[in-house]
Amino acid sequence: MVATTTDPQRLRMHVEVLSTTFVPRDWRHIDNLDRTATYISQALAAAGTEVSEQPYPMQANNENHGKTYRNVVGKLGPDTQDRIVVGAHYDAFGEYPGADDNASGVAALIEVARLLAKETLPLGVDLIAYSVEEPFTKDARGNFRTPDGGSAIHAASLKRAGARVRLMFSLETLGYFDDAPGSQDFPVSFLRYFYPSRGNYVLIVSNFGSSLMARQVKKAMQAASPLPVYSISAPASVEGIDYSDHANYWANGYRAVMITDTAFNRNKNYHTAGDTADRLDYGRMASVVQGVYEAVLAVSQ
């Protein structure tokens, strides 16, 4: 087992800042999104990455049509055509704090960058904070599915450039854990026969085309900490399988996995005012970060 080098308090600090100082950070509040992007840029630079931005205009026909949104891009390692992408969206749904969804993913992204910056990497690693993943309204599907999704913009840009993505890691809702029996729900009832009823583990989600890489990720994450790690490979028709930024890399022909605490299948404060920083488990979040770091190193070899 690898010694943990991730400080839970550093994760907590990022989550608290994102979920209190930069609220609301939905698509309507561009000033707050810009302030959030600046914070992430500074954090990724301090972690040791080369930071740039990927601006793009809102295409949807709404009050912000034509206004500029931006992805934050941190680069590590050599400028190789083969690369790994680690990404997390920094917007939140509505005017809610979004601590688990998805300040937790952004905090993990920053900490993974800090750990990887100490390594001599054999290929390039892009660490991306995406804008506009969440839906416009409660009843809509996520904007990651639209041309306005930050991950859609980034994945398409890699495709145009001829980049070969060895694997994309989507960091999505990583901080909520519950040891109580029955605390874990499932999108399909038969899954309860294969996964624990206690929401005390992290899940690796992949499609069938990414399943072999998901196994490699799972093995590396299991070796990194005592945190239980499970995986599922399934078609997008299973609810939740394609519910985040990894879906855009699949759509562009790349292999991708989502690392998640399973979001609304566990955290009942998902997309509510109750999704606050005090409800997250930063010790177990640190284990997730350690696992992702080790998995990126394993995939890079």
Side-chain angles (χ1 to χ4, degrees):
M1 186 180 297
V2 179
T4 300
T5 56
T6 305
D7 182 359
Q9 291 307 311
R10 193 159 41 234
L11 291 170
R12 182 172 194 133
M13 181 269 293
H14 288 306
V15 171
E16 287 181 343
V17 169
L18 291 166
S19 63
T20 58
T21 303
F22 304 126
V23 177
R25 58 183 191 282
D26 64 325
W27 66 276
R28 285 188 170 90
H29 295 85
I30 296 179
D31 287 347
N32 265 355
L33 286 177
D34 285 346
R35 292 169 62 221
T36 306
T38 298
Y39 175 86
I40 296 167
S41 295
Q42 293 171 345
L44 285 174
T49 76
E50 178 184 340
V51 179
S52 61
E53 292 183 354
Q54 185 179 40
Y56 64 95
M58 171 69 74
Q59 296 185 43
N61 187 20
N62 57 41
E63 62 263 39
N64 285 350
H65 176 78
K67 293 186 178 179
T68 300
Y69 294 78
R70 50 185 173 144
N71 295 330
V72 180
V73 181
K75 289 185 177 290
L76 290 172
D79 187 18
T80 52
Q81 195 171 22
D82 282 7
R83 53 202 317 103
I84 292 170
V85 176
V86 186
H89 72 88
Y90 65 87
D91 61 319
F93 178 72
E95 299 192 356
Y96 301 134
D100 193 29
D101 183 22
N102 191 33
S104 67
V106 174
L109 181 77
I110 294 167
E111 184 66 0
V112 168
R114 188 187 69 81
L115 296 174
L116 289 173
K118 300 175 181 178
E119 303 289 343
T120 301
L121 298 166
L123 78 172
V125 177
D126 295 341
L127 300 116
I128 320 293
Y130 306 113
S131 188
V132 196
E133 188 267 0
E134 297 288 358
F136 289 141
T137 65
K138 193 80 170 177
D139 298 328
R141 304 185 81 186
N143 273 314
F144 64 88
R145 300 179 187 277
T146 75
D148 290 315
S151 56
I153 297 292
H154 184 256
S157 72
L158 292 180
K159 189 72 171 181
R160 288 194 302 271
R164 296 191 296 261
V165 177
R166 190 169 295 181
L167 187 65
M168 183 269 179
F169 295 75
S170 176
L171 308 182
E172 175 66 64
T173 61
L174 295 176
Y176 190 83
F177 298 88
D178 193 334
D179 294 311
S183 55
Q184 182 67 49
D185 290 339
F186 303 93
V188 182
S189 60
F190 76 83
L191 292 175
R192 68 182 65 255
Y193 298 108
F194 302 96
Y195 298 93
S197 68
R198 301 172 190 264
N200 60 0
Y201 58 90
V202 67
L203 185 67
I204 303 165
V205 177
S206 76
N207 60 1
F208 292 134
S210 308
S211 60
L212 289 178
M213 297 300 289
R215 292 178 195 173
Q216 185 177 7
V217 170
K218 181 179 179 180
K219 182 178 179 181
M221 292 186 70
Q222 287 176 328
S225 81
L227 182 71
V229 181
Y230 288 81
S231 62
I232 182 170
S233 295
S237 57
V238 176
E239 184 186 11
I241 293 296
D242 67 344
Y243 277 15
S244 193
D245 298 299
H246 56 295
N248 284 310
Y249 294 84
W250 292 346
N252 282 276
Y254 296 129
R255 293 175 295 190
V257 298
M258 174 172 63
I259 315 296
T260 181
D261 63 18
T262 76
F264 54 85
N265 288 300
R266 181 184 304 172
N267 187 350
K268 303 313 173 189
N269 291 297
Y270 174 86
H271 284 189
T272 74
D275 185 11
T276 52
D278 59 298
R279 297 179 185 272
L280 304 191
D281 185 324
Y282 297 96
R284 283 190 268 203
M285 258 187 75
S287 292
V288 176
V289 168
Q290 191 72 24
V292 172
Y293 157 65
E294 295 293 342
V296 171
L297 292 182
V299 171
S300 72
Q301 300 307 309

